[in-house]
Amino acid sequence: MKISEILQKSRVTVSFEVFPPKQWDKIESTKTVVREMCDAKPSFMSVTYGAAGTQSGFTTEIANEIKNSGVAPLSHLTCLTSTRDKIHHVVNELQENGIENILALRGDIPEGFVFPDKQYFEHAYQLINEIKEMGDFCIGGACYPEIHPESRDRVEDIGYLKYKVDCGAQFLTSQMFFDNDKFLNFYEMCRIKGINVPIIAGIMPITNAKQIMRSIELSNCSVPKKFYRIMERFGDDPKSMKQAGIIYATEQIIDLMANGVNNIHIYTMNKPDVAAAIMNGLSDIIDG
Ligand code: FAD
């Protein structure tokens, strides 16, 4: 099923993200993780492409496992370091496998990357245009409540985001954030600037202190004092930190929903128990 239809017909949605393994010998254990995640009944599930050194070649394999487990898959696809032929190959592969949803991304600029003379894809909107020509896909894009690190300011960032939507992004998934006010301000600004597609709030449950530092570095997002205090108090005790991280993420989601944000995406870090615990904490809210 297309994500656009799911978003349209559901009162609220909670989706999950998984990443493929780095090596082929871990593919079966990742598929087990996917099946366990699907038991928690997410609205749909996305799978990353080449992020954090994972193998882009395994994305379709994992998307298929999601589909076979009865959940709609959303396959990420990055373009910056790809040729047009490679993009065509991947999109055709997705089509042949009946995967209808693609999150079209540029990808981060690798250190020392030199733009070739004839660079096909410098930005995600170009990938969106390319995919549109290739078939009847539901295409999404990424957005940044605290501004993409390469953008000069909020106005520029939202201007380019609007263009990405005008090119054909039917929904947007946000970078993670820990301060709901940042997201709510961004959400309002998008609506004022005429971005009217669903904007899905990206929530990262932080279940160990080391992980948060790495995640903050990568995402450029601010961390509220309340969260620092939790880390100071529980950071050295893995069980307590995990419980506190799950509760923080659940509270964040409830607050977003109370403010009218009905579409949530959980960066699960391939932890089915964490995803299930958050879903349990929301059970009556999602079903009600
Ligand atoms: P773009 O939309 O191209 O934006 C990148 C920058 O260029 C922004 O500053 C933007 O304002 C600017 N810009 C946009 N259009 C123009 C234009 N026409 N002219 C000039 N400037 C412009 N990475 C992976 O490698 N694999 C993944 O699976 C993955 N999944 C992600 C999922 C989500 C939800 C998010 C938020 C990010 C994900 N990323 C992933 C990271 C992403 O690839 C990086 O954040 C990347 O730096 C930007 O990608 P983008 O698609 O937002 O790029």
Side-chain angles (χ1 to χ4, degrees):
M1 190 189 255
K2 295 222 167 84
I3 304 296
S4 51
E5 290 170 52
I6 296 173
L7 293 169
Q8 201 181 15
K9 75 176 181 99
S10 314
R11 196 179 49 83
V12 295
T13 62
V14 180
S15 50
F16 295 166
E17 178 174 297
V18 290
F19 51 83
K22 288 189 178 171
Q23 287 150 0
W24 183 251
D25 61 358
K26 296 281 184 323
I27 195 95
E28 285 310 320
S29 56
T30 308
K31 285 182 181 178
T32 304
V33 163
V34 164
R35 288 192 293 274
E36 287 173 14
M37 295 265 187
C38 289
D39 287 345
K41 298 200 171 14
S43 310
F44 62 89
M45 193 139 107
S46 78
V47 50
T48 64
Y49 185 91
T54 58
Q55 288 291 332
S56 53
F58 302 154
T59 296
T60 308
E61 182 92 10
I62 297 300
N64 261 333
E65 189 65 24
I66 296 170
K67 185 161 72 88
N68 295 338
S69 304
V71 171
L74 167 63
S75 191
H76 294 199
L77 178 59
T78 63
C79 60
L80 183 68
T81 56
S82 277
T83 60
R84 217 166 166 185
D85 283 350
K86 167 86 180 171
I87 293 295
H88 281 222
H89 172 79
V90 177
V91 174
N92 285 332
E93 191 180 62
L94 293 172
Q95 200 161 33
E96 280 157 20
N97 283 278
I99 292 155
E100 305 174 283
N101 305 296
I102 302 179
L103 191 71
L105 300 145
R106 187 198 65 181
D108 284 320
I109 302 175
E111 231 178 89
F113 180 76
V114 180
F115 279 82
D117 281 348
K118 197 168 180 350
Q119 176 74 31
Y120 284 113
F121 304 105
E122 283 182 41
H123 290 291
Y125 78 88
Q126 292 159 314
L127 178 62
I128 292 173
N129 286 335
E130 195 79 14
I131 297 169
K132 265 193 327 196
E133 294 293 315
M134 295 190 64
D136 180 23
F137 290 97
C138 170
I139 308 169
C143 64
Y144 303 85
E146 296 182 67
I147 305 176
H148 186 272
E150 290 162 40
S151 291
R152 243 186 336 208
D153 55 36
R154 165 66 53 89
V155 173
E156 181 185 273
D157 203 49
I158 293 191
Y160 286 134
L161 187 60
K162 168 88 167 72
Y163 186 65
K164 188 152 74 172
V165 170
D166 291 344
C167 284
Q170 291 165 271
F171 65 92
L172 299 168
T173 306
S174 90
Q175 176 65 283
M176 65 170 176
F177 57 91
F178 300 105
D179 182 344
N180 283 357
D181 284 344
K182 303 268 184 214
F183 180 85
L184 294 168
N185 288 339
F186 165 77
Y187 191 92
E188 203 183 323
M189 180 79 114
C190 286
R191 295 307 186 226
I192 290 169
K193 295 289 178 187
I195 297 175
N196 293 315
V197 296
I199 303 176
I200 306 174
I203 299 295
M204 167 84 89
I206 298 294
T207 52
N208 74 59
K210 239 196 221 156
Q211 179 199 344
I212 192 174
M213 295 328 293
R214 176 93 186 110
S215 302
I216 292 166
E217 260 172 47
L218 290 174
S219 68
N220 208 23
C221 66
S222 49
V223 179
K225 269 193 194 138
K226 178 180 168 183
F227 201 94
Y228 272 121
R229 281 193 215 106
I230 291 174
M231 279 202 329
E232 271 167 25
R233 176 74 175 81
F234 304 115
D236 293 334
D237 174 356
K239 274 179 145 179
S240 305
M241 188 61 226
K242 184 171 171 182
Q243 191 167 42
I246 289 168
I247 291 172
Y248 189 95
T250 309
E251 283 182 2
Q252 226 192 318
I253 294 169
I254 292 170
D255 181 57
L256 286 167
M257 288 185 176
N259 279 284
V261 179
N262 294 322
N263 306 116
I264 306 291
H265 189 64
I266 303 178
Y267 295 105
T268 68
M269 301 303 287
N270 288 17
K271 291 181 181 150
D273 56 336
V274 172
I278 295 174
M279 291 304 253
N280 282 338
L282 299 170
S283 55
D284 287 336
I285 292 169
I286 296 172
D287 293 340

